[in-house]
Amino acid sequence: MSEIKLRYSDEDLQEFKSIIDKKIERAQSDLALLQSAYKNDANNGTEDTSPSFKSFDEGSDVMSKEANVQLAIRQEKFIRDLNNALMRIENKTYGFCRVTRKLIQKERLILVPHATLSIEAKRKQ
């Protein structure tokens, strides 16, 4: 008879923490790039002082900035979800499906470390 795990071991939790820390570091770097792209930090704000008429370029720039803002918002949510996962690790409640209340498969958590739903629960959505 196989033993039902009540929670992940401390070693497993440390492994997940390491994975999450790396993902947060990468996500924060990506977020900084996105933010600098839509804030135009790289130039001195002289782009719009050119006397030439550039309506198509301006429209394209606005669309690009809007897309970068949306990506940045998604990235901020991803970082928040990863930080929430770190809190669950600290509380030793990490890895439980919020619907089925069973442990989420380790393979899934390695790929999606901020997951709060098992594959079974996700399919039922």
Side-chain angles (χ1 to χ4, degrees), residues 107-118:
E107 295 78 18
R108 173 164 169 72
L109 291 173
I110 288 171
L111 293 173
V112 186
H114 59 289
T116 59
L117 293 174
S118 63

Side-chain angles (χ1 to χ4, degrees), residues 11-36:
E11 294 80 24
D12 286 336
L13 292 177
Q14 285 307 309
E15 180 183 347
F16 291 129
K17 183 180 184 312
S18 174
I19 291 168
I20 292 170
D21 286 339
K22 288 176 188 170
K23 285 195 178 270
I24 288 174
E25 186 177 320
R26 174 72 190 265
Q28 287 173 333
S29 172
D30 291 347
L31 177 60
L33 286 173
L34 287 168
Q35 288 174 330
S36 70

Side-chain angles (χ1 to χ4, degrees), residues 2-10 12-13 16 88 91-97 100-104 109:
S2 68
E3 182 181 321
I4 297 175
K5 289 175 80 171
L6 299 177
R7 71 172 187 88
Y8 282 105
S9 70
D10 290 344
D12 286 336
L13 292 177
F16 291 129
R88 291 192 303 276
N91 297 335
K92 300 191 189 281
T93 59
Y94 180 79
F96 286 100
C97 174
T100 66
R101 304 284 185 224
K102 297 176 186 174
L103 279 181
I104 299 170
L109 291 173

